[in-house]
Amino acid sequence: MIEAWKQVLTLSKLRSGQVVTILSGADTHPQTLAAALIAVQSFGAIVNRLDLQPINGEKAHSRDALSYLGTTPLTGNRAAIAALKASDLVLDLMTLLFSAEQHEILKAGVKILLAVEPPEVLARLVPTADDRKRVLAASEKLGRAKLMHITSAAGTDFYCPLGEFGPISEYGFADEPGRWDHWPSGFTLTFPNDGQAYGRIVLDRGDILLPQKDYVREPIEMTIEGGYARRIEGGVDAELLRDYMAAFNDPEAFAISHIGWGLQPRARWSTLGLFNREATIGMDARAFEGNFLFSLGPNNEGGGNRSTTCHIDIPLRGCTVELDGEAVVRDGKVLDRVAHA
Amino acid sequence: MIEAWKQVLTLSKLRSGQVVTILSGADTHPQTLAAALIAVQSFGAIVNRLDLQPINGEKAHSRDALSYLGTTPLTGNRAAIAALKASDLVLDLMTLLFSAEQHEILKAGVKILLAVEPPEVLARLVPTADDRKRVLAASEKLGRAKLMHITSAAGTDFYCPLGEFGPISEYGFADEPGRWDHWPSGFTLTFPNDGQAYGRIVLDRGDILLPQKDYVREPIEMTIEGGYARRIEGGVDAELLRDYMAAFNDPEAFAISHIGWGLQPRARWSTLGLFNREATIGMDARAFEGNFLFSLGPNNEGGGNRSTTCHIDIPLRGCTVELDGEAVVRDGKVLDRVAHA
Amino acid sequence: MIEAWKQVLTLSKLRSGQVVTILSGADTHPQTLAAALIAVQSFGAIVNRLDLQPINGEKAHSRDALSYLGTTPLTGNRAAIAALKASDLVLDLMTLLFSAEQHEILKAGVKILLAVEPPEVLARLVPTADDRKRVLAASEKLGRAKLMHITSAAGTDFYCPLGEFGPISEYGFADEPGRWDHWPSGFTLTFPNDGQAYGRIVLDRGDILLPQKDYVREPIEMTIEGGYARRIEGGVDAELLRDYMAAFNDPEAFAISHIGWGLQPRARWSTLGLFNREATIGMDARAFEGNFLFSLGPNNEGGGNRSTTCHIDIPLRGCTVELDGEAVVRDGKVLDRVAHA
Amino acid sequence: MIEAWKQVLTLSKLRSGQVVTILSGADTHPQTLAAALIAVQSFGAIVNRLDLQPINGEKAHSRDALSYLGTTPLTGNRAAIAALKASDLVLDLMTLLFSAEQHEILKAGVKILLAVEPPEVLARLVPTADDRKRVLAASEKLGRAKLMHITSAAGTDFYCPLGEFGPISEYGFADEPGRWDHWPSGFTLTFPNDGQAYGRIVLDRGDILLPQKDYVREPIEMTIEGGYARRIEGGVDAELLRDYMAAFNDPEAFAISHIGWGLQPRARWSTLGLFNREATIGMDARAFEGNFLFSLGPNNEGGGNRSTTCHIDIPLRGCTVELDGEAVVRDGKVLDRVAHA
Amino acid sequence: MIEAWKQVLTLSKLRSGQVVTILSGADTHPQTLAAALIAVQSFGAIVNRLDLQPINGEKAHSRDALSYLGTTPLTGNRAAIAALKASDLVLDLMTLLFSAEQHEILKAGVKILLAVEPPEVLARLVPTADDRKRVLAASEKLGRAKLMHITSAAGTDFYCPLGEFGPISEYGFADEPGRWDHWPSGFTLTFPNDGQAYGRIVLDRGDILLPQKDYVREPIEMTIEGGYARRIEGGVDAELLRDYMAAFNDPEAFAISHIGWGLQPRARWSTLGLFNREATIGMDARAFEGNFLFSLGPNNEGGGNRSTTCHIDIPLRGCTVELDGEAVVRDGKVLDRVAHA
Amino acid sequence: MIEAWKQVLTLSKLRSGQVVTILSGADTHPQTLAAALIAVQSFGAIVNRLDLQPINGEKAHSRDALSYLGTTPLTGNRAAIAALKASDLVLDLMTLLFSAEQHEILKAGVKILLAVEPPEVLARLVPTADDRKRVLAASEKLGRAKLMHITSAAGTDFYCPLGEFGPISEYGFADEPGRWDHWPSGFTLTFPNDGQAYGRIVLDRGDILLPQKDYVREPIEMTIEGGYARRIEGGVDAELLRDYMAAFNDPEAFAISHIGWGLQPRARWSTLGLFNREATIGMDARAFEGNFLFSLGPNNEGGGNRSTTCHIDIPLRGCTVELDGEAVVRDGKVLDRVAHA
């Protein structure tokens, strides 16, 4: 793990004398924390550990940190924010995703790298410079597109007008001031124009629901109108999803959030079935090469103003993703493979 | 968690100078224990921690504390029993369910509150005074009934003559001397007259088996005659259930045990699919509003004399529950909703 | 657990003054380790704890120690090998399976006993002298056979010419110099002649995949030709298996490895559904009475020269296993039952 | 340690089926506790661990548990007292000395054994049946005496009229119902008739003050009149003792408490100089053979009605102790040595 | 401890919504930390824990945090400094004494409270509003004085011209913005005019050296000229002090640093002899009522520009302290006692 | 600490691919162990941790590992010895001093480095290449001498005929196969010819007794005849030493063991007075520059055949040490200083 951290920190351009602040909480993996402390110090950098107290998430039904997006331990915490803004690099080992405070810190030019998967997953999915090149190339293409159209043999036929929000790339390290990234990752994403996505999404058997972290056992059909999933139909799996979402009691939970596709060849679709449900947050599922990843919930991360505490990520297999009529993924295969032997 | 405990202890009418004994074991969650110790002391009460050694449960196939009901660390343990009988309130953080010793302690006027779910579940399902009112109202109705009849679209048609045993209410705190309760809960239950339940129960897809803590994937049909499940038929799920029960090698395992319905609006059917299987004992599943909860196994908890180490709880969705012809739950909806907006 | 260890050590013929070395690692269960240390010392034996550092298993997708067979912390580690070779008994609490170093240690006359299941499983499945007798009788029969033929109602029709490799018995303790065993176990196995197995294996619903540690939900059909699974067909479960195996990028992963049948009456098919996926390595599934256990991957453990890091165990229910035309298991029932009341 | 506990429990006549309650607190040594739990269970006895919360000892200046005798965690704690009274044997690993509750428990026929020295000291000073015989013989002699007269070359000339209180023996195990003992120990003691002790005590260089746990560096002279130390004179050591005692602001602190002599040949005067001050409570110093041990403070332990929170033990070397004119110790040598080769 | 923290925080005027940052390190006492976290949150304040990595103190001979004053983990650590400056209150549980960074933080209006003594000492010496009044009154007197003259029966005759530096008060809590204080304390101090102190200081038997944390056993005589201890004479104790100071190889170590007197009636001279040497930093010794406390080493804390890593505190008993000819302490008794019954 | 270990391992010529075995026990400092594991792996070396169970040392009165030399956890432990003999370097973090097994391991060409002082002491006393040169030069001189004569102002006049045993050097790292060393150290020593040492040794005030780890408070005079201390006279300190030694009941305890002098300029005489007694084994006291270090007890370490469990080290200050009439230390000053500026 120390070697893995060193590679990530090198790619993140850590220099001697810089200040790194590690955010930790009750669930931070001790091996990840210990390795990070040693690795940062081996660069001659100054390291702080800022341990935040948990805040109450009374309404959270899942313990998955990516599934519930509300107030964070940073809310109103001037001292913690000041520390983070005065750092060169923040290693977030406790998941501060999507908060206003995070945006403020990034605007101060701080790099943030989230890393909360278990050590085994982190070690297998250490990012590379090639990951960055491939994700940036895809991101650029996505940034130029006006329409994303997704189809699948299972029945998906989903249209996302684009242009309102820019593309976002995640390749696993934070090499530029103000950049947020997530180790492990490897995908590009954007948000459909607000209220404009429409069509049908069919989750086929074997597709994945996060935070349920299980494979769908029977098809779930979503009808999207005006940017929201208006109907979620199917069998027991559809009912479970509806019951889960109903607990948030928030119509914004049904909005289409980010959309994009996976580009990480070392991540795999089948990995989810090998771990305890709560042992991972599912980055293999989000990043495996060729999946179409869409989500329900907020778009404030992308620059919109919709926020909701409910956030569901859904990677689909076997889709064709077209940008302005040109396929970038066909039947679950990324079409840039030639260049990436 | 400290605030959650304070609310529970207030509802349990803890007073300064009273003596509280906390039962702990190897699996007690350290955060729950620490919060309980602090909360009790903040009332000016005297607190003991009685840590019991595990006893051998060689035949137990599941590690779920509710699934195996045998001798407990209290059996023959005069000193521990004396401590518990001399307490005003016992916080059971290790699961002493259904033992003869527990009855003896309650008879001495001691309150017992079981609390073994993980802190996240305890915090979300902190009981309220309203929970108590609602459960007691249902319980009263149940106490007057002579027949419970349960039907469902999936094919359930199950008759339980009542009257031999009184109703039991669980609302999450122990506010009267001699009362046992369980945080979290929120349901009422009773036992059918011994040997008289009959009919058919169909576990539909999406219904839950405890301690398997999984959703049923294909229907399981139970034929009940003379108070016992005589046949358990269906596919692989039925086979797994039979194989599990066969391990106990005890015909009493197939008897109908308690029956009742869930009344807790903050508990949800879908929660089970978000946790590791062994991270919870499944109280969300037992308490979610409108489920028909029945179980297989002992009735000594209710005053009967059937005891068996095997105890299986099964919450069904979408049932209609009638008491003497009057529906209290229809198609999975509790009919007292008007009064409980 | 101390009593359980004492029985295992008695069966393993531990004597006063002998030297026992316990191999431990980061994942060793502290209760198992503590009980082993006390039990060994109660025999008057000398005990060492040799704690090995983890080595990098970058390609491992599962954290299950039986699923990835590569270099071990013993590779090149002269001091550790010397310690183990100078011991009378090695208790392997960290899983050194299938390594060249292990063979070298056994050749020096050392006994090795693997024990990594959680304490609850170890306590339930403590081996007995009868287990040994039954397994040895089956093993002897297996050693004389020239052909194993497996059939099932689900469609399995699988032929394994035998004779090239001897039989292996696992009964849960190491009572002879140079013997390796695994607590818990209870089965006999061998390897088909290299490149000669052929036919069809159908994994039915309810059969088990390890390390996925889940029940198969829809049939998977494997076509075996020349000793290799040439096709793996079916639905999502078949796809998941293929995706998992593809990650190893090794054609040898598809070879038929060991074959045999379960003989342990205290192990059960249904147990897997009660534990967290990663809480167990699945010995109940491997050993339950009457299962046909086959695996994909290496045969160097049996004396062959095929090695691969991928190792998948698959117990099937309801099979008929014939040796040279004589059934030893019929429809999932072991035919030696008369003698083993 | 397990073997040491087994010997102590055998001498304490522990039987299968009896109930043993272990009192633990924050300072209980984990190795002592673990060994006690295992040893008790190896007798087939039932064991409880009762963990008591610390109470505030705001006025305590030393952290030594023997030096401050006030309210204990048992005060008002009905449940804990009930548990202890219903036990056959209580192992006190947290020091409940001299409390009213302890007397109540002993009167119920319970045996109590205190054991709080570090494991190394416990292991070296395991009691024997011979210890008991020797201490009882001395105790019997003491019980018949009317006057104890102590002299020393350093100038001690101290008279204690006896008869009001009986003799007490401590030999390291609790073999009779209602007996309290302390492992390790080995001495006999009694209390002078209330208000009658008089004379001069000179603490010479090398004598020991407890809880200071240091050797006296320059003589301290105490003048005793009417049962109280009226003057404490000397140099800095005398000043330190006076400053320490003044903090209690209690004239009863200056009363002569118990008097007696040491009989434990395995305890040594020089041991105190090898440990950290707070690593031990000084039982070597109290028990080493031939010391004259007197103390200042309460006599309620012996049946009197003087209680005070201040308790100081002072072992003197080289004294001659006479009972009614017959020397039992001469110049620091016990005169029963002939019989105890 | 929670109650003790609450009193300290109340006196420190903590309000809901304020931000408190707790500095912790490897040696922070876990009970103190846990109690502080709970107490701060009970005020509705936001709490951070900032855990700093140790820096190398290669030349430090003592592990006492007050004895070696060099670079701290804050040096160059912009993020940590930013966090502390943005806090309302900093609880320093790791000892950041006398650093430039600390001054910068205080100048930003932050309150800092140091608390590193063991919980038993903190609990006994909880500060009060009366402590503050008494210390401030003494401090005011000290601020007006031009000459401090200290004499003692042991031979001390020491003159300190005053006026260059202001008085400093320590009463145990931080109630004003920009205030630093230390729990426990209770004394006033100032620094002599730079280079002007002169005369003779005689450490008598029973006086205390910190960090040696032992009573002086034979007199040590210091000759002070031009603000420096030019000669340190006496026996072995003097030699030990010289050897300790020589290790710093710094002439500034011999300068007279702060001077003042103790005003804390709950602190006692004799306490030091009851603890392990490294269990305390000696605040009882610094604060006990009537001691004359002087120190050797830096004066930058008081506003001077002398800094040195060596810092020795020496409380003397029985001195007379005169300010411009008026005694404030006579023979070790504080002369304000009338007003402080 | 990681940097400190790296320097020690570099000086010890650790190479990639070599095998290092770390011996640990219950008292091994976790920070030292963790740092050693990381440092060894950073060299590309293979590391084992061999954790040995404690053996009973019933007669030991001190817990100091250097003070009691008996059977070790290696006695009869073939597996552990095999591991150590197959290692290139053994890091002894649990103290295996003076055992026959250690000699056997060294003869196999293994390097052993003992390191058990607390991290603060290890960090301050990291060895250097210069330490080695200086110690070897002194050792060479010592190897050629026929008589060592020690005198002091306090009255020491002690003669040690030499030649029977060779010189031993300890400079803090193990750079040659078969070399044992101790970090920290820095001295040379040998043993007087068996039974030939004679004269008088006077321990002056301020000299140090180990394992008492205290400064002598009043002179102790030893009369040496025929190689044994025949009389030990003085005050209370002499009595304490006699009482301590009498506990071993072994005349060999009084033999003169090793003799030599300290050469480590970073070790200091005064350090002992700053630590808890049991926090250190006293290497500062043994190694400080210019001390004459002699010991009582065994000479088997040096090649003699006297063994005893009692081992006392005594560093004296201010001695003159002459080898064949030439002073190597005069009045506590080493005479090679010119060469070691």
Side-chain angles (χ1 to χ4, degrees), chain A:
Chain A
M1 273 309 290
I2 295 172
E3 293 309 310
W5 270 113
K6 284 184 180 170
Q7 178 165 346
V8 169
L9 294 171
T10 299
L11 288 169
S12 296
K13 299 183 179 164
L14 181 62
R15 299 281 175 269
S16 173
Q18 291 190 328
V19 177
V20 177
T21 298
I22 298 180
L23 280 174
S24 63
D27 295 329
T28 297
H29 195 291
Q31 189 188 344
T32 303
L33 176 60
L37 286 169
I38 292 170
V40 170
Q41 290 176 310
S42 77
F43 279 74
I46 293 169
V47 66
N48 296 302
R49 176 184 167 200
L50 183 61
D51 200 71
L52 299 182
Q53 296 301 298
I55 55 158
N56 284 336
E58 288 192 17
K59 279 181 278 183
H61 283 239
S62 161
R63 299 194 285 197
D64 187 306
L66 298 192
S67 71
Y68 187 86
L69 309 170
T71 56
T72 74
L74 286 189
T75 311
N77 190 335
R78 295 186 306 279
I81 295 170
L84 299 175
K85 288 169 75 170
S87 303
D88 296 287
L89 174 63
V90 170
L91 302 180
D92 176 357
L93 307 187
M94 67 171 295
T95 319
L96 279 182
L97 219 58
F98 292 128
S99 62
E101 292 80 9
Q102 180 163 296
H103 283 275
E104 181 184 345
I105 295 159
L106 291 169
K107 256 178 243 152
V110 180
K111 305 167 182 176
I112 303 183
L113 183 65
L114 175 68
V116 294
E117 285 284 19
E120 293 82 0
V121 175
L122 292 177
R124 180 165 45 84
L125 297 177
V126 173
T128 66
D130 276 352
D131 288 349
R132 177 175 172 278
K133 265 192 279 179
R134 189 182 193 190
V135 169
L136 285 182
S139 211
E140 205 176 315
K141 225 175 235 177
L142 181 58
R144 288 191 305 259
K146 292 297 169 208
L147 180 73
M148 189 190 286
H149 181 207
I150 304 97
T151 54
S152 74
T156 295
D157 186 18
F158 179 44
Y159 294 84
C160 292
L162 303 178
E164 193 174 336
F165 307 105
I168 294 178
S169 60
E170 298 191 15
Y171 42 76
F173 51 93
D175 54 341
E176 301 299 333
R179 176 172 181 81
W180 180 95
D181 212 314
H182 186 173
W183 169 28
S185 52
F187 42 77
T188 186
L189 57 86
T190 188
F191 292 81
N193 295 345
D194 214 358
Q196 297 185 13
Y198 64 96
R200 185 174 62 232
I201 301 176
V202 181
L203 284 62
D204 202 5
R205 303 185 60 237
D207 290 337
I208 292 172
L209 283 170
L210 304 168
Q212 283 74 3
K213 271 169 252 154
D214 224 337
Y215 298 101
V216 171
R217 297 171 188 178
E218 49 185 348
I220 300 173
E221 179 170 338
M222 294 188 183
T223 306
I224 320 296
E225 292 167 12
Y228 287 81
R230 303 294 179 181
R231 288 186 298 284
I232 298 179
E233 294 163 315
V236 170
D237 281 0
E239 284 186 86
L240 282 167
L241 179 57
R242 288 198 308 260
D243 188 71
Y244 173 72
M245 294 183 74
F248 289 86
N249 199 21
D250 181 356
E252 297 300 328
F254 294 87
I256 298 298
S257 178
H258 56 77
I259 52 173
W261 64 96
L263 291 157
Q264 176 54 270
R266 293 184 300 287
R268 294 202 82 96
W269 166 60
S270 57
T271 301
L272 195 71
L274 301 164
F275 279 78
N276 283 344
R277 181 176 283 134
E278 298 185 290
T280 162
I281 57 168
M283 291 311 290
D284 263 288
R286 283 181 184 87
F288 73 85
E289 196 171 332
N291 88 77
F292 167 65
L293 175 66
F294 81 102
S295 74
L296 298 171
N299 70 353
N300 52 352
E301 183 201 16
N305 42 37
R306 184 177 61 248
S307 74
T308 164
T309 58
C310 183
H311 181 232
I312 297 175
D313 280 335
I314 306 178
L316 303 187
R317 288 191 310 145
C319 291
T320 293
V321 179
E322 290 168 308
L323 296 178
D324 299 337
E326 179 199 345
V328 289
V329 178
R330 183 172 317 282
D331 298 336
K333 302 275 180 265
V334 180
L335 294 185
D336 68 347
R337 282 306 270 170
V338 181
H340 289 273

Side-chain angles (χ1 to χ4, degrees), chain B residues 48-49 51 77-79 88, chain D residues 48-49 51 77-78 88:
Chain B
N48 296 301
R49 178 185 166 199
D51 199 71
N77 190 337
R78 296 186 306 279
D88 296 287
Chain D
N48 296 300
R49 177 185 166 200
D51 200 70
N77 189 335
R78 297 185 306 278
D88 296 287

